[in-house]
């Protein structure tokens, strides 16, 4: 099972994939750690004046098109990729850059433009609320991560000198993770 050519290929792919993914994982590590330490970023909110009598039917299948038309008719210059519709509130997306949030209060529709600072924008990207192209990139990175992890394990199993250490590390890591999931 000790195949030096296969091991060399796996190591090369492992290094290339890891290098390609490094920027995404640095962002994830920094934003995830900051978030868990209570640094969730800031955002500024400014009221957006909607025309009097504005009615938004978020249950309508045309809600996104209706909001686009509303913004255009009110001369509100705001471009967005899609609408996150929660039935009673809505946000234009991505929320990693300025977006508009809509909600109904006391029977009237209100909107506000929300502008995230750098940390808040980076956390929104971490959560998957960034531009569609970036979300696609992150899906590719997720698939590559599985390849890097399984490839790394396979490299360890293929090398006789590392086989026991690899099995031990995977067993300990799996056991620790299961304990944390079920007992923490």
């Amino acid at each position: 099972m000790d195949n030096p050519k296969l091991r060399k290929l796996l190591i090369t792919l492992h290094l290339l994939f890891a290098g390609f993914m490094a920027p995404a994982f640095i962002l994830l590590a920094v934003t995830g750690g900051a978030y868990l330490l209570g640094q969730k970023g800031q955002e500024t909110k400014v009221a957006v004046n909607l025309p009097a009598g504005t009615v938004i039917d978020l249950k309508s299948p045309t809600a996104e098109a209706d909001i686009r038309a509303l913004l255009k008719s009110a001369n509100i210059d705001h471009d967005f990729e899609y609408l996150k519709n929660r039935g009673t509130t809505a946000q234009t997306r991505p929320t990693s850059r300025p977006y508009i949030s809509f909600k109904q209060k006391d029977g009237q529709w209100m909107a506000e433009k929300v502008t995230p600072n750098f940390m808040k924008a980076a956390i929104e990207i971490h959560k998957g609320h960034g531009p569609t192209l970036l979300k696609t990139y992150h899906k590719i990175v997720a698939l590559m991560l599985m390849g890097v992890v399984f490839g790394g394990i396979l490299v360890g199993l293929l090398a006789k000198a590392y086989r026991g250490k690899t099995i031990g590390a995977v067993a300990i890591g799996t056991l620790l993770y299961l304990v944390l999931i079920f007992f923490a």
Side-chain angles (χ1 to χ4, degrees):
M1 188 170 176
D2 196 7
N3 184 337
K5 287 183 181 181
L6 178 59
R7 190 170 60 244
K8 183 177 179 182
L9 173 65
L10 288 172
I11 289 169
T12 300
L13 290 174
H14 183 87
L15 292 173
L16 291 173
F17 284 11
F20 180 80
M21 297 183 309
F25 282 101
I26 290 170
L27 173 89
L28 292 174
V30 169
T31 56
Y35 188 86
L36 292 173
L37 292 170
Q39 302 300 317
K40 299 180 181 183
Q42 306 272 325
E43 50 190 21
T44 56
K45 298 178 180 183
V46 177
V48 173
N49 293 322
L50 297 176
T54 294
V55 176
I56 303 171
D57 181 6
L58 293 178
K59 292 181 174 58
S60 167
T62 62
E64 182 175 327
D66 296 344
I67 286 180
R68 286 184 190 277
L70 169 67
L71 293 174
K72 186 176 182 178
S73 71
N75 291 318
I76 298 169
D77 184 27
H78 181 72
D79 187 31
F80 63 98
E81 289 186 17
Y82 62 97
L83 186 72
K84 177 64 175 179
N85 186 339
R86 293 184 169 87
T88 57
T89 63
Q91 296 172 323
T92 62
R93 288 280 174 96
T95 53
S96 59
R97 54 184 166 214
Y99 64 94
I100 297 179
S101 180
F102 299 88
K103 66 181 175 183
Q104 195 173 26
K105 184 176 180 183
D106 300 326
Q108 292 207 333
W109 280 97
M110 305 177 81
E112 56 189 7
K113 184 175 183 178
V114 183
T115 304
N117 70 357
F118 178 78
M119 180 56 76
K120 181 70 174 174
I123 288 170
E124 288 297 307
I125 288 169
H126 180 135
K127 292 177 174 180
H129 302 165
T132 303
L133 185 60
L134 189 58
K135 289 170 36 173
T136 301
Y137 165 78
H138 283 155
K139 290 173 189 175
I140 292 167
V141 166
L143 290 172
M144 291 175 74
L145 175 61
M146 289 190 292
V148 166
V149 170
F150 290 123
I153 292 170
L154 185 57
V155 166
L157 294 175
L158 286 174
K160 202 176 229 181
Y162 296 109
R163 196 169 296 142
K165 293 173 186 169
T166 300
I167 292 169
V170 170
I172 291 169
T174 302
L175 182 61
L176 176 61
Y177 198 62
L178 290 173
V179 166
L180 290 171
I181 288 172
F182 291 111
F183 299 110

